[in-house]
Amino acid sequence: MQLFRILIAFCLVPLSLKAQHDITAHVVLNTSDHSLTISEKITYVNNTGFTLNEIYLNDWANSFSNKNTPLAQRFAENFKSSFHFEKEENRGRTDILSISDHLDNSIDWARGDEDDIIKINLFTPMVPGGRIDIYLDYKVKIAEDKFTRFGVTREGNYKLKHWLITPSVFDGTWHTYSNKNTDDYFQLPTNFNIDISYPEGFSLFSDLDVTEEESLQNSTKRIKLFGESRMHTNLYLEKLPTFRSVVTDQLELVSNLSDKKVTPAGKALLVDRVTRYLNDKLGPYPHEKIIVSEADYRNSPVYGLNQLPDFISPFPNGFELDMELLKTVTRKYITNTLPLDPREDHWLIGALQIYLMIDYVDTYYPDMKIMGSVSDFWIIRWSHASEIEFNDQYPFLYLNMARNNLHQSLDTPRDSLVKFNKNIASDYYAGDGLQYLGDYIGKANLHSAIKDYYRKYLLKPTAPSNFQSELAKHTHLPIDWFFDEYVGKRTRIDFNIKKVEEIGDSLRVTINNRRDNSMPVSIFGMNKKEVVFKKWVDPVDSIATVMVPKTDVRKLVLNKDGAVPEINRRNNTKNLKSPLNRPLQFRLLKDVEDPNYNQLFFMPEFQYNLYDGFTVGPKVYNKTFLTKDWNYRLVPQYGFRSQKLIGKGSITYTDRRNQNNLYYTRYGISGSFFSYNEGLFYKRLSPFITFAFRDNDDLRKNKKQFINLRNVNVFRDEDPNDPDQEPNYSVFNAQYVYSDKNLINYYRGVFDYQISERFSKVSAQFEYRKLFNSNRQLNLRFFAGAFIFNDTRNDTDFFSFALDRPTDYLFDYNYYGRSEDTGLFSQQLIIAEGGFKSQLEPAFADQFIATLNGSTNIWKWIYAYGDIGIVKNKGQRVQGVWDTGIRASLVADYFELYFPLYSNLGWEPGLPNYDQKIRFIVTLDIKTLLGLFTREWY
């Protein structure tokens, strides 16, 4: 060991003359247990003006070590359960054997609560310009690649990322970032010497330089790698090589990205074009090689292309591979050469990447549509979606978040972004912002500023403020708005034309900025489809007046070309020749929003209930793929069994707030007309208001609160079999809902108050789910309800609390046979009110009820459940009820089966007609099911 350290010190003499950290490591790959045995030396140089008493090291390989690390918590927050349920031996970890100095004295060290950050306590303070040699001996257990796409694969290949222990960045503040699977590992340029040994059956791929290669005894191969001023040390070891090398005039690209439709020669041409483009737009790459992998691409794909199966290709041969190479290589090009803080300053990395991608497509694929050749199909050609350019996806996907009030400021730290923003919207908004800025100051000026910035800060610590300084040198126009408002604020952009006045041969146009920001906007003069003029208006903070020529202008349009990523472009037009600014447009099926028209859509809708049978009819509505504030829909339908015209409709307005914890208020009214029994119909009309609250400072939190106020008016056909029923009634309902839904801990509480002419009642419901480290899951639900007064008839329980099957007099639940007492449809279970699964007596409570429902898993999706409660009815004593059974949770809350075992009735499988006692939950509503798959994105 001492000889090894002497050799390391000798090898590093030339490198240590440079003020960079140096890392030398001897590594042995052990395939039997998928581990790395590492002896490492870190020469840490204090490049700051501060005296250091401690040094922090990144040990991201240990972020997989248990279920409580920041990485594990992030998986849980994103509802990614595979890591939590994984066996201990398949997770990664770092076992540190020793940390010592050059004299082999042990150094005091400790892990923080994060587990992937190591604190080194120095014996003596390190003054500015000082250096220290830290020796580490440790073993890394490589995690499986199914968690992050990096690690050991099923085939026994290795994709190694963040596998070395490296110094954290200190610039007056320690940037001790834990791994949260947000691709923001922060490391300044460092010199690496790596000596790695591994079985001869593998091929090694890296963008480090191979300085020596030899075969050893025991079928072992040894390779020495060197890299100067590197920020990443990704290594790939494969049994069957998939990486191929393409050498261009600019650099050598090593990649396993491929496309069966593209020949090796065709791929080489694409690689050459991409590298030439980046060399021209940024500058020469400072290293000989760059490596990009399928895993790199899959972690940040070209969304849309990655959803297409291999046998569908609406794009020209080579386009998909070109986009994959462009996105992945561009990101590597930037992150390997500009030492920006990838957690705090990620927006600039994303902005440069997406801006270059937009410019590349404009250059080489100027007419490419987002739907490719599908846009030419007759069934698609009529839609506005068929006209959308490939580059229009960037503002569209950002607006998806902004319209849902889930957008975040670009300078939000990367680990605080909602997953959709982290993966897609934030970079897209940043790149579109550079397009906006370039259109305003001139694209040539922006191109020059980017190139000068890259050249000046190549492999040198930098920040967005340096980029701002470079931009200021290339334009006389104001640019502070871009960094202060566009980047620094969680704001949305929305302009409209407030007033137009004729002044001689000119028009005086008053422009209104409807949001709390100050940004420029362009104004177009249009003569039908011809652009008469385009003029930029300097940043507008509230109201601005601009003079424009009147000649040949029929209408004025703000932001006609969409260069400004506005939240709403439907209010940008002022028609000078007609009172109608936007004509009405009818479309079959849902479409992308066209700001030039008032759009109305038609779509067939199908439903089913026992009494109406299958129902079908047109849904007439205004909602596009992007959410709007005003939404209306009318759904007339025909019931094939009831042979009646039925249906539903609603109109809502959502007032979304950016800054307050009250993030939206929704007003609306809804109505429906369906059968509730054989030959009997109901009409329901309900005006409502919803107040929604959340922590706007941290959108990753799932904690939300709602106040729902509504008045439900029901008008039912009289039932001849029950002439004393109350067919018509009105109920005012006030409800408070608290929810904090996560994979590990799930909380939900509801307090409900109802008052009607004949009754008034209150109820409270609390749900709690806990997933323990042992993989045991506990589900608890408590419900209690009581009548304040109850003047309904004693012989009817229509408005009573239900033990197992609520009557649903407010028509809230999707019962397929709501009036059934026997048969399959009577076995449909909706967990509400008492929440029991067995059908016991008393089935209702007209005074008060309290129940506790619980379940825990026995094996995977098989649970044991139990319910216990008390029921009180007028003139009767309090009665206790209980049941137990087995729950098969195939899709939690959406598709479940309940098999009763013991209850007040005794051993239920031994009772007659047991098959009729089995209960089921089935959800056929597509929107509800989609919530299962979108919850981890939003």
Side-chain angles (χ1 to χ4, degrees):
M1 180 62 66
Q2 193 65 29
L3 177 61
F4 165 69
R5 291 176 176 174
I6 293 172
L7 289 173
I8 289 178
F10 178 79
C11 293
L12 284 177
V13 169
L15 296 177
S16 62
L17 297 176
K18 298 185 178 181
Q20 289 184 335
H21 307 317
D22 299 294
I23 293 178
T24 298
H26 275 204
V27 185
V28 177
L29 172 65
N30 313 296
T31 56
S32 59
D33 61 354
H34 304 307
S35 68
L36 300 169
T37 301
I38 302 173
S39 294
E40 179 180 351
K41 176 187 176 181
I42 299 174
T43 299
Y44 186 91
V45 182
N46 184 1
N47 292 318
T48 71
F50 298 87
T51 297
L52 302 180
N53 294 303
E54 66 274 328
I55 293 174
Y56 289 90
L57 305 177
N58 301 315
D59 181 17
W60 279 23
N62 201 53
S63 59
F64 298 87
S65 59
N66 61 70
K67 300 178 182 182
N68 300 308
T69 66
L71 178 64
Q73 293 170 12
R74 181 53 54 99
F75 286 146
E77 290 170 4
N78 291 342
F79 294 92
K80 191 173 182 178
S81 60
S82 60
F83 183 81
H84 189 94
F85 289 106
E86 189 54 73
K87 296 178 181 177
E88 192 70 30
E89 58 267 24
N90 293 333
R91 295 198 189 94
R93 65 181 180 275
T94 303
D95 295 320
I96 296 180
L97 306 177
S98 68
I99 301 180
S100 56
D101 64 11
H102 66 288
L103 297 176
D104 211 18
N105 296 317
S106 293
I107 295 178
D108 182 36
W109 66 276
R111 292 191 185 278
D113 295 336
E114 304 89 352
D115 288 316
D116 56 3
I117 301 295
I118 297 172
K119 181 182 179 181
I120 301 290
N121 296 307
L122 300 176
F123 293 126
T124 58
M126 183 187 296
V127 297
R131 67 180 59 222
I132 185 176
D133 293 335
I134 303 171
Y135 295 86
L136 304 97
D137 291 299
Y138 57 100
K139 186 175 182 178
V140 171
K141 173 68 171 66
I142 304 168
E144 292 191 352
D145 73 330
K146 63 183 178 182
F147 307 125
T148 65
R149 292 193 174 92
F150 283 89
V152 58
T153 70
R154 287 182 180 178
E155 297 77 22
N157 297 319
Y158 298 91
K159 297 176 287 185
L160 304 181
K161 185 178 184 180
H162 311 319
W163 55 281
L164 272 176
I165 294 177
T166 61
S168 298
V169 174
F170 179 76
D171 56 8
T173 301
W174 282 104
H175 298 271
T176 52
Y177 299 153
S178 287
N179 184 10
K180 297 182 180 179
N181 197 30
T182 47
D183 194 25
D184 51 8
Y185 190 80
F186 191 16
Q187 182 174 299
L188 294 179
T190 302
N191 302 319
F192 289 94
N193 272 289
I194 297 174
D195 184 332
I196 182 169
S197 301
Y198 55 89
E200 276 201 334
F202 287 87
S203 297
L204 184 144
F205 301 93
S206 168
D207 57 6
L208 300 176
D209 301 323
V210 177
T211 59
E212 189 177 329
E213 185 174 347
E214 63 176 325
S215 294
L216 306 176
Q217 295 178 348
N218 302 322
S219 300
T220 300
K221 197 170 186 178
R222 179 185 178 193
I223 287 183
K224 292 184 179 181
L225 302 168
F226 170 71
E228 183 178 0
S229 298
R230 303 304 179 96
M231 289 183 282
H232 301 281
T233 56
N234 292 3
L235 301 180
Y236 301 87
L237 292 111
E238 296 183 326
K239 296 176 182 177
L240 296 174
T242 61
F243 283 85
R244 299 292 182 267
S245 175
V246 177
V247 180
T248 72
D249 292 338
Q250 290 75 39
L251 54 82
E252 177 186 355
L253 177 68
V254 182
S255 171
N256 63 349
L257 288 173
S258 63
D259 188 329
K260 294 178 181 179
K261 298 183 288 295
V262 180
T263 64
K267 178 180 177 181
L269 290 173
L270 294 176
V271 169
D272 182 68
R273 186 166 72 182
V274 168
T275 55
R276 275 192 293 106
Y277 173 81
L278 294 175
N279 182 82
D280 178 59
K281 296 298 181 180
L282 293 176
Y285 190 70
H287 310 304
E288 293 183 2
K289 289 190 296 183
I290 189 170
I291 187 167
V292 297
S293 67
E294 183 78 13
D296 290 318
Y297 172 70
R298 293 300 170 194
N299 278 338
S300 183
V302 179
Y303 290 93
L305 296 186
N306 69 313
Q307 306 298 325
L308 297 174
D310 291 338
F311 62 87
I312 294 179
S313 180
F315 300 101
N317 288 346
F319 176 77
E320 293 172 52
L321 180 60
D322 200 8
M323 292 299 99
E324 293 173 10
L325 286 167
L326 176 66
K327 185 170 189 182
T328 314
V329 174
T330 301
R331 189 80 177 195
K332 287 283 187 176
Y333 207 100
I334 296 168
T335 57
N336 287 354
T337 55
L338 289 177
L340 289 157
D341 183 335
R343 181 158 292 183
E344 298 293 333
D345 303 328
H346 62 90
W347 73 265
L348 183 51
I349 299 171
L352 293 172
Q353 178 194 26
I354 300 302
Y355 176 76
L356 291 169
M357 290 182 64
I358 293 172
D359 184 71
Y360 183 92
V361 170
D362 282 341
T363 302
Y364 297 107
Y365 303 98
D367 299 319
M368 184 60 66
K369 304 296 185 184
I370 197 171
M371 301 176 70
S373 59
V374 173
S375 299
D376 298 326
F377 288 1
W378 66 269
I379 198 170
I380 300 295
R381 195 166 54 236
W382 59 267
S383 69
H384 182 57
S386 68
E387 302 170 0
I388 300 297
E389 303 289 337
F390 187 83
N391 281 336
D392 290 333
Q393 66 179 296
Y394 302 111
F396 180 85
L397 290 172
Y398 154 72
L399 286 175
N400 172 55
M401 299 302 281
R403 292 278 187 92
N404 284 290
N405 206 7
L406 288 170
H407 60 296
Q408 294 169 279
S409 66
L410 288 178
D411 62 358
T412 301
R414 190 166 173 82
D415 63 330
S416 298
L417 292 175
V418 175
K419 187 176 179 182
F420 193 95
N421 288 333
K422 189 268 292 184
N423 284 357
I424 304 176
S426 183
D427 285 353
Y428 286 13
Y429 185 54
D432 210 41
L434 282 188
Q435 285 285 116
Y436 177 13
L437 180 64
D439 203 304
Y440 175 62
I441 68 172
K443 291 192 180 297
N445 293 332
L446 180 58
H447 284 320
S448 296
I450 290 173
K451 198 166 185 176
D452 287 351
Y453 171 70
Y454 183 84
R455 174 184 51 80
K456 187 172 181 179
Y457 291 97
L458 183 69
L459 297 175
K460 298 175 184 177
T462 183
S465 57
N466 303 127
F467 180 59
Q468 183 174 1
S469 298
E470 287 300 314
L471 273 172
K473 297 174 184 177
H474 290 79
T475 181
H476 65 281
L477 294 172
I479 59 169
D480 289 348
W481 62 269
F482 179 77
F483 295 90
D484 298 339
E485 306 279 349
Y486 192 91
V487 173
K489 283 187 177 181
R490 182 183 181 265
T491 185
R492 296 180 289 184
I493 308 172
D494 188 11
F495 296 94
N496 71 346
I497 297 175
K498 190 172 185 179
K499 185 168 60 173
V500 178
E501 301 170 276
E502 292 190 20
I503 308 293
D505 60 354
S506 299
L507 299 171
R508 183 163 64 191
V509 184
T510 303
I511 298 172
N512 179 30
N513 184 345
R514 305 181 70 242
R515 304 292 170 171
D516 181 23
N517 56 52
S518 178
M519 297 188 193
V521 66
S522 59
I523 182 169
F524 289 74
M526 304 294 298
N527 185 351
K528 296 184 179 179
K529 295 186 178 181
E530 178 189 354
V531 176
V532 178
F533 69 83
K534 175 184 178 180
K535 180 176 182 177
W536 274 99
V537 182
D538 283 341
V540 181
D541 59 0
S542 55
I543 298 291
T545 302
V546 60
M547 300 296 293
V548 297
K550 184 178 71 173
T551 306
D552 296 330
V553 174
R554 298 179 64 87
K555 65 180 177 181
L556 298 170
V557 184
L558 297 178
N559 190 28
K560 170 69 176 176
D561 54 3
V564 184
E566 284 188 271
I567 186 73
N568 179 19
R569 291 174 56 200
R570 300 186 306 276
N571 58 2
N572 286 10
T573 302
K574 185 68 174 178
N575 199 322
L576 305 180
K577 304 297 181 181
S578 168
L580 189 64
N581 290 325
R582 295 183 300 137
L584 187 62
Q585 181 186 72
F586 297 93
R587 291 293 197 196
L588 180 65
L589 305 180
K590 200 170 189 175
D591 196 5
V592 174
E593 181 175 296
D594 187 338
N596 298 310
Y597 295 93
N598 286 305
Q599 294 170 296
L600 189 64
F601 303 105
F602 297 85
M603 176 184 287
E605 183 167 302
F606 305 88
Q607 286 184 243
Y608 175 80
N609 70 66
L610 179 62
Y611 314 115
D612 292 310
F614 286 99
T615 65
V616 63
K619 178 170 69 171
V620 183
Y621 62 109
N622 75 322
K623 186 177 179 181
T624 62
F625 286 107
L626 293 176
T627 301
K628 294 181 178 180
D629 293 340
W630 281 101
N631 285 286
Y632 54 84
R633 63 172 184 158
L634 180 64
V635 191
Q637 295 179 310
Y638 180 77
F640 284 93
R641 184 174 182 185
S642 62
Q643 297 184 353
K644 291 287 186 178
L645 184 64
I646 52 180
K648 56 189 176 182
S650 66
I651 182 169
T652 63
Y653 171 71
T654 305
D655 180 15
R656 294 180 171 84
R657 312 290 179 86
N658 275 355
Q659 307 302 329
N660 301 322
N661 287 344
L662 174 61
Y663 71 102
Y664 78 71
T665 304
R666 180 168 293 153
Y667 312 86
I669 186 169
S670 64
S672 57
F673 176 58
F674 290 101
S675 297
Y676 75 91
N677 207 334
E678 291 289 348
L680 301 175
F681 296 85
Y682 74 89
K683 293 188 286 287
R684 178 183 184 268
L685 186 66
S686 178
F688 61 87
I689 303 176
T690 296
F691 303 93
F693 302 85
R694 72 176 178 207
D695 183 357
N696 257 340
D697 295 327
D698 186 358
L699 297 188
R700 286 197 58 83
K701 289 182 179 178
N702 288 328
K703 187 183 299 183
K704 295 180 181 178
Q705 300 175 74
F706 302 90
I707 296 175
N708 301 313
L709 304 175
R710 60 177 177 165
N711 197 76
V712 181
N713 304 280
V714 178
F715 310 92
R716 297 187 298 162
D717 291 346
E718 292 191 16
D719 186 351
N721 296 321
D722 186 7
D724 296 326
Q725 73 164 347
E726 188 172 354
N728 305 326
Y729 49 89
S730 178
V731 180
F732 174 77
N733 180 208
Q735 189 179 78
Y736 168 76
V737 180
Y738 171 91
S739 69
D740 189 1
K741 300 178 181 180
N742 291 282
L743 179 67
I744 306 300
N745 291 291
Y746 174 108
Y747 303 92
R748 187 173 185 270
V750 180
F751 179 81
D752 190 271
Y753 171 71
Q754 298 177 21
I755 185 169
S756 183
E757 182 180 357
R758 294 294 185 89
F759 71 88
S760 176
K761 63 182 181 178
V762 294
S763 64
Q765 173 183 302
F766 302 97
E767 294 178 66
Y768 174 67
R769 298 179 188 174
K770 173 69 176 179
L771 181 58
F772 295 94
N773 283 343
S774 62
N775 294 341
R776 174 72 62 189
Q777 181 170 310
L778 176 65
N779 307 303
L780 295 174
R781 176 182 176 273
F782 172 76
F783 177 83
F787 279 89
I788 298 174
F789 70 86
N790 186 359
D791 294 337
T792 59
R793 289 175 47 234
N794 292 333
D795 59 345
T796 179
D797 283 308
F798 187 62
F799 298 107
S800 297
F801 294 107
L803 187 65
D804 73 281
R805 185 174 165 85
T807 57
D808 190 26
Y809 53 87
L810 297 181
F811 293 90
D812 288 332
Y813 308 133
N814 189 23
Y815 276 124
Y816 302 119
R818 62 178 54 251
S819 299
E820 298 305 290
D821 295 323
T822 60
L824 177 65
F825 289 96
S826 70
Q827 295 170 239
Q828 182 186 358
L829 177 66
I830 290 177
I831 304 297
E833 300 189 6
F836 267 57
K837 290 77 188 178
S838 293
Q839 298 173 329
L840 306 177
E841 293 293 338
F844 297 95
D846 60 16
Q847 279 194 305
F848 68 81
I849 184 175
T851 62
L852 179 65
N853 317 125
S855 67
T856 186
N857 54 314
I858 301 173
W859 176 80
K860 292 186 178 180
W861 41 271
I862 303 298
Y863 291 76
Y865 74 80
D867 306 312
I868 188 170
I870 56 173
V871 177
K872 177 66 172 69
N873 284 287
K874 296 176 183 178
Q876 300 180 17
R877 60 181 177 83
V878 175
Q879 293 180 263
V881 286
W882 62 276
D883 68 8
T884 61
I886 298 296
R887 165 189 167 204
S889 180
L890 304 176
V891 180
D893 301 327
Y894 296 92
F895 184 32
E896 301 184 352
L897 295 174
Y898 290 81
F899 300 88
L901 295 180
Y902 279 103
S903 70
N904 290 71
L905 301 175
W907 174 247
E908 293 203 34
L911 299 176
N913 303 317
Y914 178 71
D915 60 321
Q916 298 178 19
K917 299 179 183 296
I918 298 170
R919 309 296 294 276
F920 65 87
I921 293 176
V922 175
T923 299
L924 301 179
D925 182 63
I926 299 297
K927 183 178 179 181
T928 305
L929 287 173
L930 284 175
L932 273 177
F933 305 101
T934 59
R935 62 182 180 180
E936 68 178 67
W937 284 91
Y938 300 97

